[in-house]
Amino acid sequence: MRIVCSVFFPLNYGNGRCILCLAISLNGIQFGPLRPLVQLGCAPNGRTVALPVDGITFDRPTSSFFLHRYMPTADAVHLRTYSPALTRFVLNHTELLSFTRSSIAALSKDQNHGS
């Protein structure tokens, strides 16, 4: 049985582009390409305004994941500019499955060439 790990990364790409991305791993060390999922928004200090995923559901035809958005950071508390929320985002199950399969294929190919 193969274990597949789905990892969500909140990333700041610069120029005000803070995005939640998904990557797949077969070993928790090497990851496939990042797939941008949703624009998060950037805080004044450059951090994303959302924390990592709190939960995920897999129900066809969609899958959902939940983010903690606008959680109080030291800057937000000082500026009194936060209103925390748990936010649901929906992914198309077919697209998610296709991305996972293509990532597994690419990672398997890389591992076979590395041995």
Side-chain angles (χ1 to χ4, degrees):
M1 183 169 101
R2 174 176 276 171
I3 296 174
V4 177
C5 179
S6 300
V7 182
F8 294 88
F9 294 98
L11 297 174
N12 183 334
Y13 279 94
N15 297 324
R17 291 181 30 221
C18 290
I19 300 171
L20 183 74
C21 298
L22 172 68
I24 304 298
S25 177
L26 301 177
N27 58 16
I29 299 168
Q30 181 182 10
F31 294 88
L34 292 174
R35 179 180 190 264
L37 296 177
V38 64
Q39 174 73 23
L40 298 174
C42 299
N45 65 1
R47 296 185 63 172
T48 62
V49 297
L51 296 177
V53 172
D54 180 59
I56 189 164
T57 63
F58 297 101
D59 296 315
R60 290 186 180 160
T62 61
S63 298
S64 300
F65 61 95
F66 300 84
L67 290 176
H68 287 282
R69 292 182 65 100
Y70 309 110
M71 295 304 290
T73 62
D75 290 341
V77 169
H78 176 72
L79 298 172
R80 299 177 189 263
T81 58
Y82 65 93
S83 180
L86 188 62
T87 307
R88 177 179 181 232
F89 293 93
V90 177
L91 297 172
N92 179 286
H93 186 76
T94 303
E95 290 175 21
L96 181 60
L97 189 57
S98 175
F99 173 75
T100 302
R101 286 182 175 152
S102 65
S103 293
I104 290 170
L107 288 165
S108 297
K109 182 179 174 184
D110 288 345
Q111 286 180 351
N112 290 336
H113 283 101
S115 32

